């Protein structure tokens, strides 16, 4: 078995299944490598962060996962790709970190305006509006 076959088989491990399941169960969140490492460790499958990043990069290449750069530009987080994410906006709370999938005709009108008046087509799968959710706003 050559090294390419070994690498291919190494990605069909329990860790792979655990990572995919965790991303699917947390599809409304942006997950970072630290959270994945902690989850794997707490489930008795400790994996190094470099291995996690390699696997996440592979999932990005395979269009299974989308990578986002954090607002401070110092890190990245990941989210499993869902087909419906191409058709709505995403709101992310700066306090609790929850990600909301928002379908809104008014925002769609903004997108159409930007395209028709400014010649710029928004990629909704990459669009995140940062702010404060109702729950966190009420607690401040």
């Amino acid at each position: 078995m050559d090294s390419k076959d070994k690498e291919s088989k190494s990605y069909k491990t329990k860790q792979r299944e655990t990572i995919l399941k965790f991303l699917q169960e947390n599809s409304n969140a942006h997950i970072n490598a630290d959270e994945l490492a902690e989850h794997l460790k707490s489930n008795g499958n400790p994996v190094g962060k470099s291995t996690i990043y390699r696997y996440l990069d592979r999932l990005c290449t395979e269009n299974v996962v989308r990578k986002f750069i954090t607002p401070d530009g110092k890190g990245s987080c990941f989210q499993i790709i869902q087909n419906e994410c191409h058709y709505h906006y995403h709101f992310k709370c700066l306090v609790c970190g929850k990600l909301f999938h928002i379908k809104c005709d008014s925002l769609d009108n903004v997108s159409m305006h930007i395209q028709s008046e400014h010649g710029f087509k928004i990629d909704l799968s990459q669009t995140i509006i940062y702010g404060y959710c109702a729950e966190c706003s009420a607690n401040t």
Side-chain angles (χ1 to χ4, degrees):
M1 180 181 307
D2 67 17
S3 63
K4 195 169 196 169
D5 289 336
K6 285 179 186 175
E7 181 181 339
S8 172
K9 287 187 180 202
S10 71
Y11 283 109
K12 302 211 185 298
T13 63
K14 185 174 183 177
Q15 287 89 356
R16 174 187 169 100
E17 291 171 19
T18 303
I19 289 171
L20 280 173
K21 183 177 179 187
F22 184 73
L23 290 169
Q24 289 165 343
E25 290 172 350
N26 293 280
S27 62
N28 286 333
H30 289 157
I31 305 298
N32 63 38
D34 289 333
E35 292 166 322
L36 270 171
E38 183 58 37
H39 175 73
L40 289 166
K41 182 179 175 184
S42 69
N43 284 303
N45 296 310
V47 176
K49 275 198 242 177
S50 61
T51 301
I52 290 171
Y53 275 116
R54 259 193 320 276
Y55 180 60
L56 288 169
D57 285 341
R58 183 178 183 120
L59 288 174
C60 288
T61 301
E62 295 171 353
N63 291 316
V64 174
V65 169
R66 183 178 303 112
K67 180 178 182 177
F68 296 94
I69 304 302
T70 56
D72 62 8
K74 295 180 181 176
S76 53
C77 52
F78 302 84
Q79 181 187 29
I80 198 151
I81 294 175
Q82 300 172 339
N83 288 336
E84 67 269 9
C85 282
H86 296 284
Y87 305 108
H88 61 246
Y89 286 85
H90 301 90
F91 292 177
K92 183 162 184 163
C93 181
L94 292 167
V95 176
C96 67
K98 288 181 188 168
L99 183 70
F100 301 88
H101 299 266
I102 306 296
K103 180 70 179 138
C104 173
D105 291 338
S106 295
L107 287 173
D108 290 343
N109 290 336
V110 170
S111 291
M112 287 187 290
H113 166 81
I114 290 170
Q115 186 169 357
S116 66
E117 296 297 319
H118 305 285
F120 190 84
K121 184 175 181 180
I122 296 174
D123 179 356
L124 295 180
S125 69
Q126 297 289 328
T127 303
I128 303 172
I129 298 173
Y130 294 91
Y132 304 93
C133 71
E135 186 177 325
C136 291
S137 292
N139 292 332
T140 58

